[in-house]
Each structure stands twice: as structure tokens, then as C-alpha cells.
Amino acid sequence: MKNFIFTSTIILLFLSTAVAQENRLAHKQPNTAEIYHNIEKLGFLGTALYVAAHPDDENTRLISSLANDKMARTAYLSLTRGDGGQNLIGPQLREQLGMIRTQELLEARNVDGGQQFFTRANDFGYSKHPDETLEIWNQQEVMEDMVQIIREFKPDVIINRFNHRTPGTTHGHHTTSAMLSMKVFEYAADKTVYANQLKNLDTWQAQRIFFNTSWWFYGSQEAFEKADKTNLLEIDAGTYYPHKGLSNSEIAALSRSQHKSQGFGSSGSRGTQTEYLEYLKGSFPTDKSDLFSGINTTWTRVKGGSRIQTQLNSIIANYNFKKPTASIPDLLKLRSQISNLKEEHWKNIKLEELDQILLDITGVYLEASVATNTATAGESLEVAIELTNRSDQEFKVSLLSNQLVTIKEKSFSLDQNESKRVSGKLQIPAIYEASTPYYLKEKGTLGMYSFKDRSLTGLPEKQSEFMVRALIELNGTELYREIPIIHKRTDPVRGEVNEPFYIVPEVAVSIENPVYVFSGNTIQPIQVTVSANKRIENGTLELCHPDQWIVTPMNFAIKALEKGEKKTFTFQVKPPQNASRGFISGLVKLGLKTYSQEVISIDYDHIPDQQLVKDNESQVVKPGLQNRAQTVAYINGAGDDVAQAIEAIGSKVFKFEPSEVPSDLSKYDAVVIGIRAYNVAKEDMAALQPRLDSYVKNGGTLLMQYNTSRRISPDALGPLPITLSRKRVTDENATVKILEPQHPLMSAPNAITSADFEGWVQERGLYFPDDWDPAFTPILGMNDKGEEMTNGSLIVAPYGKGHIIYTGLSLFRELPAGVSGAYKLLANMISIGVEDELIQKNDGQRKH
């Protein structure tokens, strides 16, 4: 009799998440030693959930140890997607950075063996206290998500990365993650809490909860050594895995190095590595070297499971590393035993694991691909399906047609090393929506994302609906698999490249720049590009704009465009007489249909390509400013759009990598250094120091933007000593005191007032200096509520004939957001040396 089991929707979502994270588009076939290790994992029935606030907060060494050494089901619950951080690899910020960091977490889990979950909480930026965090996050919604994830994932142990008892000592998000974790540890077991979830789920009580502490939380190694360790568990997380050829710490470093947008590349280590877990609540472990001790993690925890453990032990003892297929008959018997269990949770989990082991042993290769990476609703595409049997076991394959995919040749057998290629037809429904992250489809708030489908709660991304479904019959047992449809291509440099397949709107509309800044009443051209993702007939393009702004022409006629064709149209935009700020958007009309969405692609080699579809929109800003700097050299840092903003206010910008800066900088009115340049290009910036020193001495203006304080010496930042701190002002509405109102930075060519600090986003600034050379003059004072004023956000010093400026103000956030005051301040900073030159020229003319 054939055994064939479909599981419930929610369980399938969580299990398919694990499988998707394991595969990550590429075909990675485990070797015979890895298959043996996966068989061993069948015997451990324990689950751990690690909880923190952001991507990169997780302890990859402990996660890897739990997943690979302990062989537990292990997941990391990051409350946010890291949207409020900085980006070291490109200009993407906010939700686009969150998309990148979501994928980086999936890559990290693919390395260390864990799974990944999220809540709806949005990383709105640095927070100094949980009180502030919970004013912006919706506490009830975040806890609701956490409770649902716990009830679905059913962890035996929960581990907090941060200390719930020390609010105000670290990032508010960090402490909040631990505080909420302590609450939901109990709430998940309470049938009166979020009772609506219990229609599909049961309550769940984790056995115990820990705090993953270390000497760092005690202030010093010496203080930690003296501390009472009665409630501390010591876990050796330095195990060497022969089946991987790596130590646990090496795997952890590879995992952490996936956080490339954060610059967290790590080197592996070897030997014993101790992790400390402070017991907080629940049953106390019976063995302080094992966080699962005292919890039944064997098959005996499942009714009728004792005989399964006996059978599994026999399979492990008799495993043939040279011929793993010899284990298939016994594994199929084991599968039958598990299938007959009544308990659904572990039954479904272990069947999923076992089915994957059986397919791995046969070396089965399953792939479904299309010739394009995008298509539109209503399109029909050919699907190329490849199935290969790389074992000595014959199996039969049945391909299942569904509402989206039809297949002609549906059943066939595959002998040893036989490959079969068949074709199918993908029919995309005419009403299908364009592909975009599920949590970005609806408008959220500053602190929360919004989506209605609660079955998606916790998932990093929604599983693709474009699948080829297959039954693989092995010795009378049918194994069900869903094969995601991908785009496969060959790159001349990278070789085989597998990319996600996305749905795009029939017509995409994009405006060239996110912000346009207008000086005076000068008319600016604004380019709007129309992209046809299918053949379109004649239509019109309009540029929607605020009142009092004048746009010509009123519209453009669009002639028929073929699929893949793009056409750019240039509107002339005139600002109003007074200072103004508003939004513009392109609108295409084709008969009765209108199109206004743009498609944003995020392409980095270390993650799958990502697509964001949203309404196109750009800002038009007339801040009423003057800019005297005609030429500016911009030295790239970690990635920002500040150079583009400088161009927008009328300067001609020349961009350079730190290693490619020309020897002669005298022709530039200002040299601006991108964010974190001294962090990411330390050696190159050090080599530039003499050149910058000479440039400023001879009359140039050097503007340095923020760097982190990590491993930066006072002598590293320009010609005069500056000591960075970790001080920041996170309240974007914090009062700003102008300490030197008559200083040129505040008065020329634009008068800066307190009104210019209105409308800022996310924060005032970060990593302000707290000590500097006496030649510097602090210009601004600011502070968060309840804190002393800090004066290091903007400092300026004369040096020779020129000027040195350092600012920790978050211009890299404010300028792309169209903040008028930030543009005025930027203009003053790059104009300061030009003003001096004009005075010197006028003085010379008067003398003559």
C-alpha cells in the first residue's frame, strides 16, 4: 500500500520555510557523511528559539551549536528586519535595507542550520530606552506575533540575547526584545491570551527560558570571573564536525559573515569556546552543561515512539557510507512507523526531515525554470522541468498539474543516472498582483508593518505560488515535493545563476531621482521612464504635481511599445516663488487603465535578487538656498546619496574611491568624505591624510561625515585630532540650539534658523565627537529627553587658509528624505571656503 501524507497549511508553511532556506535556489547535494548526520538528527526531538531585536544580534555560534551539535530544531526570532540600520554595501535604506537584511539572515541560517522568523515590528532607528521603543511599536501586536510563533514552533527552550532587567543601558530595541520574551514565555500557554489564535493552534508552554550572557554584560572579564555563577550554564560551542570539516566556531563565522550590509565579516576560530546561559524561569536543568537536560528529547516523548527510536538506532549502526542507498528499505519502514503516529507535531516534522533524507540518498535532482525572470499577469510561459536519478535505485515520478501549471508527460520511471526533461505550461492568472514583499503591500506605521493574512506571521518571505508539484515513488512509497519555478541563466563570469521569478506590472513608471532641489526660480528637467513589460498600445503620460508648481507639457503621447521596450520623457518643472516642498509622480493612461507603479530591483551577489513594487513618487523641494561651491570632490564611503544631493543644489560633483583620489585637489571648492569612509577604507584614508592636509592648508574645505567610533584613533579623522564617542540624538524632533548663530556655517550664504531642523527623519545624528582639537568651534547643541546637551554634532576649525568640518548629523538620511533645512546646511558647509575666496578677491581689488 502506498503511503502519501499531506499536512496542514500552517505546518506546511513552517516546514516549507525550513526547506526553502536550506535550498536557497541553488542545488546543494549533501555528501554521505552529511546524510548520516541528518539521520542522526531524526532521533532528537527538541526545539530552541533564540530571541533578539535585529539582524546581526543573534549569536551564530550558539545557534550553530544547537542546530549541528545538539541537533535541535533551532530558530532565530528577530523582532525587526533591520530597516533602521546603515548599509555598507550600497545606498538602500529603510524598507529596501530591510529586504536586504532579511535575505542576509536567510543566508546566515542556510550556513548555520537554523530557521528564521520575524514579527511586524519595524526598526525605526536607534532607541535609548524600551519606553521610547514601546511608544512607537505596537506592543500588543508584537507580542501577538511572538505568541503565535511560539505556539506554532513549540520551543522547549527560549534564549534571550539581551538582559530584560537593564533598561536604558543599551539599544531600547534590544532590551525590549528580552522584556517581551519574558512575557510571552507565559502568555503562549495562557488560553485567554490571543484566544483567536486557538482556532487553529494549541497553547504552548516552553520548559525554560535563558539569557545568553557573557563577560561583556558584567562590564569586564574580571567582574565576570568574580560573579556568582550558580544559575549559569556553561556550553562548549567549539565542537569540531568531521562530516563538515569545520569547527562550530568556523561555521558561526561563515554565518555571521553573511551580514555584509552591516560589515560583520568574521574570521573562524578553533578549539573550545564557552557560551554562558543564565537560567531565568521554568524548570532548572539537571545538567549545567546541557540546556535541554531534564527535558525528554527522545522519541519516548511521543506516544508510540519508543519503537521508532529502536529502529532508528539500528539504521544508524548499519549505515553504509560507501552505499547509503542500502539504508532505503529500513528508512521506508521507519517512515511507515512514523506515519502511523497520532501526535501531529513531531510526526509532521520528522516525516519532512525523513523524506528529504530519502531524496538526498537517491541524489534526486529536481528543477523547474523559465527563460525569463519576470512576466506579467495573464502571460503564459514554457516551463523546463528536469528530473535526474543519481542513485542505483529506480523510482517513478508523477508530475501533478494544478491551476497554474499544466504538464503533458506526467508519469515516467528513472533508472540509475537517468535524466528526464519535460515541458510544462505556466498560466499566470489575469488578476495576479505584482511580486513584492508581503509585509510591504499595505501601508504601515513608523513602528509597525501591516498585513492581514495572519498565516504569514513570522515568515521571512511568502512562499512562491509558482510550483511544479511532484510525487516520487520509491519502493511503493510516494514522497511529495514542490519545486519552485525559477529563472536560470548562464553568466559569462559567475557561471550558472539561479534567480527568483517575479510578476511585474504591465507598465512600470519611474522618475529618475528621488529628490529634486530647486534653487531660485530655475526650471529643471525631470525625466520619467515608461517600461513596457508586455506590448502596449497608444496612451499618455502625465506628471502629477503639487499646486503652484508648473509642469510642461501637460502630458506626452505614448506610441505603442513592445515588451521590454523603455522610453524616457522629459518634463520641464518650474517651482513657485516661495519655498515649497511636495511630491510628483508619473501616471500612464492606456484606455481605461492607469499605471503608476515602479519596479525596484536589488541585485547583490550574496543574496537572491529582490524586487519591490510600489507607487512611483519623488520629492520636489525649493528650500530657498544659495550654493557657492561650483566643484566638489566626493570620496565614497560605505554608500549614500549625499553626492547626488550636492549635484541637486548646483555643484558639479566628481566621485572617487578612496584609493583613486587624484594627487591635485586644488581645483575643488570642497572635498566631501562619504559616511563611514574611515571605517571601511581605513588604510586608503590614512594614505590620503597628507594630501588632504595640504589641500586644506592651501585654502580648501574638507567636510567629513559620520564614522563609527569602533577602532578609530583621534588622529585618523583629518588634519586635527577628533575623538568619536557613541553619543547620539535619536529623537528627530529634539530641540537644536544654535551655539554660534553668526558663524558662516549658520549665516552664509543661507541663514539657518531653528525652523531648518523641523521635519527631520529617524534621528538627529550619531557617533558625535566628545573631544576635539581646541581649534574647532562647536556650532550646534542638542540632546534627547533627560540627557545632557552634546555639542559635537557639527564642529568646524580653520586650518591654514582652509576649513575642516566634521558632522555626525544624519545628512545621509535627511537629504534623500527631502529635508529643506538639511540642504541649506549642506550648501553652507561646502560654500564656506568659497566665501573666503570671494572676500579675499574683493579685498585685493580694493587695494588695487
Side-chain angles (χ1 to χ4, degrees):
M1 180 178 175
K2 295 179 180 179
N3 299 311
F4 178 42
I5 299 175
F6 287 97
T7 53
S8 69
T9 302
I10 290 179
I11 293 295
L12 270 176
L13 277 170
F14 267 62
L15 293 178
S16 62
T17 299
V19 173
Q21 290 173 192
E22 180 181 340
N23 293 331
R24 299 298 289 154
L25 299 181
H27 296 279
K28 183 182 179 184
Q29 175 65 28
N31 61 44
T32 183
E34 290 171 324
I35 291 172
Y36 174 78
H37 180 68
N38 291 335
I39 294 174
E40 288 184 306
K41 278 187 175 182
L42 292 173
F44 191 88
L45 280 65
T47 304
L49 181 65
Y50 198 91
V51 179
H54 311 107
D56 72 42
D57 283 347
E58 81 274 27
N59 183 341
T60 56
R61 190 165 66 191
L62 186 54
I63 289 174
S64 178
S65 177
L66 290 168
N68 296 292
D69 191 11
K70 199 66 186 172
M71 295 186 283
R73 290 175 71 234
T74 307
Y76 174 41
L77 169 55
S78 176
L79 298 196
T80 77
R81 297 173 184 264
D83 329 71
Q86 288 87 51
N87 185 358
L88 290 187
I89 59 174
Q92 294 88 359
L93 293 173
R94 298 305 307 160
E95 73 273 6
Q96 293 183 49
L97 177 58
M99 292 169 63
I100 292 171
R101 298 187 72 187
T102 294
Q103 295 301 315
E104 289 178 336
L105 272 178
L106 290 176
E107 294 296 333
R109 300 293 80 78
N110 188 42
V111 172
D112 60 36
Q115 295 184 47
Q116 184 62 52
F117 302 124
F118 296 95
T119 74
R120 283 171 281 177
N122 191 346
D123 177 4
F124 56 82
Y126 192 88
S127 174
K128 292 183 177 178
H129 198 279
D131 289 348
E132 179 196 17
T133 299
L134 294 175
E135 286 177 2
I136 298 175
W137 286 355
N138 184 317
Q139 180 175 344
Q140 292 305 313
E141 289 185 355
V142 176
M143 288 197 300
E144 181 182 18
D145 292 353
M146 296 175 77
V147 167
Q148 181 174 332
I149 291 165
I150 290 171
R151 287 172 173 172
E152 290 174 338
F153 193 58
K154 300 184 184 300
D156 297 299
V157 296
I158 295 175
I159 305 163
N160 293 339
R161 181 58 176 136
F162 299 104
N163 192 343
H164 66 286
R165 298 157 296 197
T166 55
T169 61
T170 182
H171 197 322
H173 297 180
H174 291 171
T175 311
T176 301
S177 71
M179 292 168 60
L180 298 185
S181 181
M182 294 298 292
K183 290 183 178 182
V184 299
F185 174 76
E186 296 180 345
Y187 287 177
D190 188 338
K191 63 182 181 181
T192 67
V193 178
Y194 305 117
N196 59 306
Q197 296 178 0
L198 301 180
K199 297 175 183 177
N200 301 309
L201 298 169
D202 296 323
T203 58
W204 181 255
Q205 178 62 68
Q207 295 295 302
R208 55 188 67 134
I209 187 168
F210 299 97
F211 162 40
N212 183 196
T213 190
S214 71
W215 68 263
W216 187 87
F217 290 97
Y218 288 76
S220 68
Q221 188 71 48
E222 182 181 5
F224 179 63
E225 290 173 0
K226 294 178 181 178
D228 179 9
K229 297 183 177 60
T230 303
N231 285 339
L232 289 193
L233 277 67
E234 297 186 17
I235 310 296
D236 182 3
T239 304
Y240 174 72
Y241 305 122
H243 67 281
K244 290 181 176 289
L246 293 167
S247 72
N248 187 71
S249 299
E250 288 172 315
I251 293 172
L254 292 171
S255 174
R256 191 155 183 79
S257 295
Q258 302 308 308
H259 295 298
K260 298 185 189 304
S261 65
Q262 293 303 101
F264 279 162
S266 300
S267 297
S269 59
R270 289 142 293 278
T272 299
Q273 302 284 338
T274 303
E275 289 291 338
Y276 296 93
L277 298 176
E278 180 188 353
Y279 162 81
L280 297 175
K281 194 181 290 187
S283 63
F284 195 87
T286 57
D287 178 354
K288 290 175 66 175
S289 66
D290 180 3
L291 73 167
F292 281 99
S293 60
I295 300 172
N296 187 355
T297 57
T298 71
W299 274 103
T300 60
R301 78 181 293 174
V302 177
K303 187 177 180 179
S306 57
R307 66 183 186 276
I308 291 174
Q309 186 65 57
T310 302
Q311 191 171 346
L312 177 61
N313 290 341
S314 175
I315 293 171
I316 292 171
N318 294 302
Y319 183 78
N320 187 334
F321 284 86
K322 291 186 177 180
K323 190 177 180 180
T325 52
S327 296
I328 286 179
D330 287 335
L331 287 169
L332 289 174
K333 291 178 183 177
L334 182 69
R335 188 187 189 284
S336 177
Q337 296 261 10
I338 296 174
S339 297
N340 291 328
L341 294 173
K342 293 183 179 179
E343 195 270 9
E344 292 293 323
H345 177 67
W346 283 109
K347 169 183 172 179
N348 292 330
I349 290 167
K350 293 304 177 180
L351 280 176
E352 181 76 13
E353 292 177 5
L354 181 49
D355 285 0
Q356 189 60 51
I357 289 169
L358 287 164
L359 294 176
D360 289 340
I361 286 177
T362 65
V364 64
Y365 185 94
L366 307 172
E367 181 184 85
S369 63
V370 288
T372 178
N373 64 331
T374 62
T376 59
E379 272 196 77
S380 179
L381 299 174
E382 292 291 325
V383 182
I385 305 167
E386 179 187 343
L387 304 102
T388 303
N389 175 9
R390 295 183 285 195
S391 73
D392 57 4
Q393 299 286 306
E394 179 189 11
F395 57 70
K396 295 180 182 178
V397 178
S398 297
L399 299 176
L400 310 177
S401 293
N402 56 69
Q403 291 181 335
L404 301 180
V405 181
T406 55
I407 301 163
K408 292 181 180 179
E409 188 176 4
K410 296 182 178 181
S411 300
F412 43 85
S413 297
L414 291 175
D415 294 324
Q416 182 175 2
N417 214 29
E418 183 180 359
S419 185
K420 182 76 172 180
R421 289 173 172 81
V422 299
S423 62
K425 180 79 71 176
L426 170 63
Q427 181 63 56
I428 303 165
I431 58 172
Y432 207 86
E433 292 184 346
S435 307
T436 201
Y438 74 88
Y439 56 92
L440 293 177
K441 285 186 176 182
E442 300 174 26
K443 186 174 179 60
T445 65
L446 174 63
M448 300 295 294
Y449 284 122
S450 177
F451 55 90
K452 294 183 177 66
D453 187 352
R454 294 272 67 83
S455 70
L456 297 173
T457 297
L459 298 184
E461 55 191 352
K462 185 177 180 180
Q463 185 179 13
S464 172
E465 296 178 39
F466 304 119
M467 299 278 187
V468 171
R469 295 171 170 83
L471 290 176
I472 299 167
E473 184 183 329
L474 189 61
N475 293 357
T477 297
E478 288 182 333
L479 310 177
Y480 175 71
R481 272 297 170 264
E482 293 181 339
I483 313 166
I485 295 175
I486 61 171
H487 171 233
K488 182 178 179 179
R489 65 183 176 88
T490 302
D491 184 271
V493 176
R494 297 166 61 191
E496 181 178 310
V497 177
N498 294 329
E499 297 172 332
F501 171 68
Y502 291 126
I503 305 303
V504 292
E506 294 178 349
V507 179
V509 190
S510 60
I511 301 177
E512 184 180 23
N513 298 321
V515 179
Y516 292 86
V517 181
F518 290 74
S519 299
N521 295 317
T522 305
I523 294 174
Q524 271 200 56
I526 292 182
Q527 293 187 326
V528 182
T529 298
V530 176
S531 303
N533 294 314
K534 65 177 293 185
R535 190 183 190 282
I536 62 174
E537 300 300 332
N538 298 339
T540 59
L541 170 67
E542 299 176 7
L543 186 63
C544 305
H545 58 86
D547 293 340
Q548 299 181 348
W549 291 71
I550 299 173
V551 173
T552 54
M554 293 182 62
N555 57 57
F556 282 100
I558 303 174
K559 296 182 179 179
L561 296 177
E562 297 298 324
K563 179 179 179 179
E565 189 176 353
K566 296 183 179 182
K567 189 164 185 181
T568 299
F569 302 86
T570 302
F571 290 92
Q572 301 297 324
V573 178
K574 183 179 180 180
Q577 293 293 323
N578 301 323
S580 179
R581 178 181 175 187
F583 294 91
I584 57 173
S585 60
L587 180 68
V588 170
K589 294 181 178 180
L590 300 176
L592 298 177
K593 291 184 177 182
T594 60
Y595 301 89
S596 60
Q597 290 185 314
E598 68 174 321
V599 178
I600 298 172
S601 297
I602 301 174
D603 180 8
Y604 291 103
D605 286 350
H606 69 295
I607 59 174
D609 292 351
Q610 298 299 296
Q611 175 175 290
L612 173 64
V613 178
K614 67 182 189 68
D615 290 339
N616 82 90
E617 188 177 73
S618 293
Q619 287 197 66
V620 285
V621 182
K622 184 186 178 184
L625 63 76
Q626 297 180 53
N627 172 27
R628 294 172 180 165
Q630 296 183 7
T631 57
V632 174
Y634 198 88
I635 301 175
N636 295 328
D640 57 65
D641 288 329
V642 176
Q644 184 174 319
I646 297 172
E647 287 181 328
I649 59 175
S651 300
K652 189 171 184 180
V653 178
F654 300 83
K655 296 180 71 173
F656 303 101
E657 294 300 323
S659 60
E660 299 172 348
V661 176
S663 56
D664 182 13
L665 294 169
S666 62
K667 64 181 180 180
Y668 302 109
D669 292 326
V671 172
V672 181
I673 298 178
I675 64 170
R676 297 182 71 170
Y678 289 93
N679 296 127
V680 299
K682 190 173 182 179
E683 293 181 2
D684 289 333
M685 293 306 299
L688 271 179
Q689 198 86 320
R691 216 174 311 168
L692 297 175
D693 187 289
S694 176
Y695 165 73
V696 180
K697 278 183 178 177
N698 290 321
T701 295
L702 175 64
L703 169 57
M704 296 176 287
Q705 298 180 81
Y706 103 97
N707 287 265
T708 67
S709 57
R710 189 180 180 188
R711 294 195 291 270
I712 293 287
S713 70
D715 296 328
L717 298 172
L720 296 174
I722 299 172
T723 301
L724 298 181
S725 72
R726 297 182 64 84
K727 293 179 180 178
R728 60 174 78 202
V729 175
T730 61
D731 182 358
E732 62 271 31
N733 299 310
T735 300
V736 176
K737 182 178 181 180
I738 300 176
L739 303 175
E740 298 288 340
Q742 302 307 313
H743 193 282
L745 289 189
M746 294 291 104
S747 60
N750 306 291
I752 304 295
T753 68
S754 58
D756 291 304
F757 294 96
E758 296 175 0
W760 284 49
V761 298
Q762 187 162 322
E763 61 197 353
R764 289 295 187 197
L766 62 173
Y767 291 97
F768 296 157
D770 61 356
D771 192 21
W772 46 78
D773 188 279
F776 281 104
T777 298
I779 302 298
L780 301 173
M782 58 188 71
N783 59 278
D784 281 320
K785 184 179 179 180
E787 296 184 357
E788 292 184 1
M789 182 176 290
T790 175
N791 297 336
S793 62
L794 175 59
I795 57 177
V796 58
Y799 187 73
K801 298 178 182 179
H803 297 83
I804 303 168
I805 304 170
Y806 185 90
T807 182
L809 295 171
S810 59
L811 298 177
F812 70 102
R813 296 194 191 280
E814 313 312 321
L815 297 169
V819 178
S820 299
Y823 279 94
K824 291 171 68 176
L825 184 57
L826 174 66
N828 282 11
M829 288 191 285
I830 62 176
S831 296
I832 188 171
V834 182
E835 180 188 52
D836 289 349
E837 289 177 13
L838 291 172
I839 292 172
Q840 291 168 9
K841 288 179 181 178
N842 291 335
D843 287 345
Q845 290 170 358
R846 283 194 290 269
K847 288 176 183 178
H848 286 298

